[in-house]
Amino acid sequence: QVQLAESGGGSGQAGGSLRLSCKASGFTYSEYCMAWFRQAPGKKRETIATIDSDGSRSYAESVKDRFTISQDNAENSLYLQMNTLKPQDTAMYYCAAAAGRVYCSTYRPEKGFNYWGQGTQVTVSD
């Protein structure tokens, strides 16, 4: 059974940094696509970053050059380093995963991800 568990959320100041982690268990695909999504109150969930098993990354324009997605296969973990935080980054953040790395980008729809974590809240104040 695949399980994803996010951690590292919390409160931060505008201009500051936070690092999110997503620990995967039972996820044994050699080719995969993993992603970070976020959902702000009253808004649709959006993809903000993806990474595939080859290490190829993509970012939404709203976080490009501020956020970095990375992975540690030895730790079965996915990370999101968030720098230069803005109040509009306030949201619930989710990690997601899917077998296969075809079409692994921020344009991949939500239904293209089979596995989801429970989410971790990030709140950024002025």
Side-chain angles (χ1 to χ4, degrees), residues 10-27:
S11 298
Q13 294 278 80
S17 299
L18 284 172
R19 188 189 193 214
L20 305 184
S21 300
C22 174
K23 181 79 171 178
S25 59
F27 191 73

Side-chain angles (χ1 to χ4, degrees), residues 84-105:
T84 320
L85 286 166
K86 302 177 180 179
Q88 51 263 47
D89 294 322
T90 295
M92 185 70 79
Y93 284 71
Y94 301 89
C95 68
R101 61 182 180 89
V102 173
Y103 200 53
C104 184
S105 77

Side-chain angles (χ1 to χ4, degrees), residues 47-123:
T47 321
I48 56 172
T50 65
I51 188 167
D52 70 16
S53 43
D54 274 2
S56 296
R57 297 171 173 85
S58 68
Y59 297 93
E61 283 300 316
S62 58
V63 304
K64 200 172 182 181
D65 299 326
R66 297 190 299 122
F67 290 9
T68 302
I69 189 171
S70 63
Q71 60 189 343
D72 184 334
N73 292 331
E75 295 291 327
N76 293 321
S77 291
L78 179 73
Y79 303 102
L80 185 69
Q81 178 66 42
M82 305 187 294
N83 298 329
T84 320
L85 286 166
K86 302 177 180 179
Q88 51 263 47
D89 294 322
T90 295
M92 185 70 79
Y93 284 71
Y94 301 89
C95 68
R101 61 182 180 89
V102 173
Y103 200 53
C104 184
S105 77
T106 55
Y107 295 102
R108 183 169 182 154
E110 282 190 38
K111 62 182 180 181
F113 291 89
N114 310 93
Y115 309 105
W116 292 82
Q118 293 298 308
T120 187
Q121 177 68 37
V122 171
T123 303

